[in-house]
Amino acid sequence: MIAPVNPAPLLVARGVGKTFSNGVRALDGVDLTLREGDFLSLLGPSGCGKSTLLRIIAGLLSPTSGMLDWRGQMADPSLLGFVFQEPTLMPWATVFDNVWLPLRLKGVSRKAAAPAIGDLLERVHLTGFENAVPRELSGGMKMRVSIARSLVTKPRLLLMDEPFAALDEITRFKLNNDLLELWDDQKITVVFVTHSVFESVFLSHRVVVMAARPGRIFQEVAVDAPYPRDETFRTSPEYAALCRSTSDVLADAMRAGAADAA
Amino acid sequence: MPLEIALDAEEQRRLRAARLERVGRWVLPVAIMCLAVFLWDRVVVWNEIPHYILPRPIDVVRAFVEDWQLLLSSLLVTLKITGLGLVCAVVGGVGLAVLFAQSKWVEMSFFPFAVILQVTPIVAIFPLINIYVDNLTAKLLLCAWIVAFFPILSNTTLGLNSVDKNLRDLFKLNGATRWQELWHLRLPAAMPYFLGGLKIAGGLALIGAVVAEFVAGSGGQSSGLASRIIEAGYRLRTARLFAALILISLTGIAIFMLLSWLSHVILRRWHESAVKQES
């Protein structure tokens, strides 16, 4: 699969800003166009407002200024999936019940949901763990449950807030590979928040680098490497070069944030 | 057999210590208890203390055997008040907590009343209850309820408010109604807190029932264990007094063990407090 060429926009954000009641300007003047099939990473130091932007897109926060223009059917919030930094599972519920939750809240019975859940658990390699409870799972497995849950409503847009930040490197690499596979065969659009240059370059074809104080978009970096990307890509000189140039942009962004603060 | 592995001296020592601790946990308290009963008996015999001051343990056993019908029927009366009081405390405590959870304003407005009810000694409130309530069972029940409901209310309120913020966002993102959030998220999340409160409330319901009987039973109206104690005290039937007292203690222990077991069964799969410690 190759990154889509100029597909229809899903979301156009114009001049989005957020100021919290304590006076912190978390975001200022963010312009961003999200297109169908994008894998877009928001990369930046902590405090640059990347999570705030994600929560505004999700509708969990409302912007102080600017507007979000959803295109097509995307106004329907059920077409949106969200993955939190922690697995955020209900500890008392089994894997099946955790994945079932979004459908259950919409009134879908256990029986009617079972085929879709079985299929998803297979895709995230958790077949056989339907009846396990979260504390019986490893950190990586919990994250897989969380991803399966976010996909169970068949969303068009998947928002991920540093989902793999707390995992060890080996697990993270594996989940990165699996996420790309899911992105490919589910034909979804992903916005992925991370503070890892390597992760953002590996996953996405658009890396939006953000700066802090106030949080804003500093520069967008296009990652022009073809998909599918796998372990060969991870060790290629091309990947290393892309990481280096993205790192340079991030370093500039951090200097800009520091200069403004001084 | 894993024990076939050759262990070094340190590991062997650790294993021995662990085994010893397992046995000691049961043997030690039982042994100390037996020793205490034996000393009690010896003190009475050596000092020739009359049985109406301090009966010998064997006299207490005899009182159990001779008066078992009387004691059993009294125990049932006390148990009935305790059980009903606890049920009312659960219904009232959880009900109020759910109401409080609906709005911060409701909680802020009414929580102080619950605190007032809790901090005022029940013995001091009882004369008022005596004036306003006619029915004896209702009186005793009200006392047991007042004493027992607060830990359930306070713990359940805490539990309902301690839901993971991200999980609440998840429910919001999926368009959950207030009722769905309560039923699928807040109530299950509050379960460990509620069960902790229930364990305390079980003992308090018994205390409330016995204290209420004491205050009400001074007129000889009640027929629970407390009135057996008062009556035995008047008549210097000290052995029977001891027997009734022991029954109350055993009841309290039984209630605590029952509720602990219940809590363990409900939480064992998912909550850290009930998960078996792995060696």
Side-chain angles (χ1 to χ4, degrees), chain B residues 251-268:
Chain B
T251 307
I253 294 169
I255 290 173
F256 182 80
M257 284 171 69
L258 181 74
L259 295 177
S260 299
W261 172 82
L262 183 76
S263 169
H264 179 79
V265 166
I266 293 175
L267 300 180
R268 69 175 156 201

Side-chain angles (χ1 to χ4, degrees), chain B residues 21-261:
Chain B
E21 202 186 308
R22 258 201 311 280
V23 178
R25 187 165 294 157
W26 290 100
V27 171
L28 269 182
V30 171
I32 295 293
M33 187 68 83
C34 290
L35 186 70
V37 171
F38 175 73
L39 281 178
W40 164 12
D41 187 59
R42 288 301 94 194
V43 165
V44 175
V45 171
W46 289 333
N47 297 315
E48 296 174 346
I49 300 174
H51 67 89
Y52 52 85
I53 302 286
L54 183 61
R56 290 179 62 182
I58 190 71
D59 296 331
V60 177
V61 173
R62 211 170 284 137
F64 264 119
V65 174
E66 280 167 11
D67 300 336
W68 70 270
Q69 263 175 324
L70 185 71
L71 288 170
L72 192 71
S73 65
S74 299
L75 174 65
L76 286 180
V77 171
T78 302
L79 269 183
K80 193 181 89 184
I81 300 292
T82 305
L84 282 176
L86 189 59
V87 168
C88 293
V90 168
V91 173
V94 173
L96 278 175
V98 167
L99 199 68
F100 285 2
Q102 297 311 302
S103 137
K104 269 260 166 296
W105 299 104
V106 177
E107 187 184 337
M108 278 193 268
S109 312
F110 291 104
F111 204 77
F113 286 93
V115 175
I116 290 170
L117 222 49
Q118 163 70 14
V119 295
T120 315
I122 191 67
V123 189
I125 308 176
F126 194 81
L128 278 178
I129 296 176
N130 218 1
I131 295 174
Y132 300 136
V133 184
D134 248 354
N135 182 290
L136 179 69
T137 310
K139 265 185 234 182
L140 302 182
L141 210 55
L142 193 60
C143 275
W145 179 79
I146 289 175
V147 176
F149 95 101
F150 188 77
I152 295 184
L153 169 66
S154 145
N155 271 28
T156 310
T157 303
L158 181 67
L160 289 172
N161 290 330
S162 310
V163 176
D164 182 87
K165 199 186 156 296
N166 284 340
L167 269 174
R168 294 184 75 164
D169 280 345
L170 179 80
F171 272 68
K172 197 170 146 194
L173 279 170
N174 284 291
T177 61
R178 177 184 282 251
W179 167 248
Q180 283 178 319
E181 190 182 314
L182 180 71
W183 185 249
H184 292 300
L185 178 62
R186 299 180 76 178
L187 282 175
M191 188 56 103
Y193 296 82
F194 161 74
L195 289 168
L198 184 67
K199 261 193 262 185
I200 302 170
L204 285 180
L206 178 65
I207 292 175
V210 170
V211 167
E213 271 180 35
F214 257 104
V215 193
S218 45
Q221 310 160 296
S222 152
S223 49
L225 279 176
S227 34
R228 288 290 84 78
I229 289 179
I230 298 172
E231 183 192 64
Y234 281 149
R235 298 206 216 154
L236 290 182
R237 302 282 296 267
T238 318
R240 190 194 283 173
L241 196 156
F242 266 90
L245 199 57
I246 290 170
L247 264 186
I248 292 178
S249 298
L250 289 178
T251 307
I253 294 169
I255 290 173
F256 182 80
M257 284 171 69
L258 181 74
L259 295 177
S260 299
W261 172 82

Side-chain angles (χ1 to χ4, degrees), chain A residues 11-47:
Chain A
L11 166 71
V12 180
R14 269 188 235 288
V16 169
K18 178 74 184 177
T19 306
F20 289 115
S21 56
N22 59 6
V24 171
R25 280 166 73 203
L27 275 183
D28 189 42
V30 168
D31 294 312
L32 186 68
T33 301
L34 196 60
R35 291 174 188 283
E36 194 119 20
D38 268 352
F39 199 124
L40 183 147
S41 287
L42 297 174
L43 172 69
S46 35

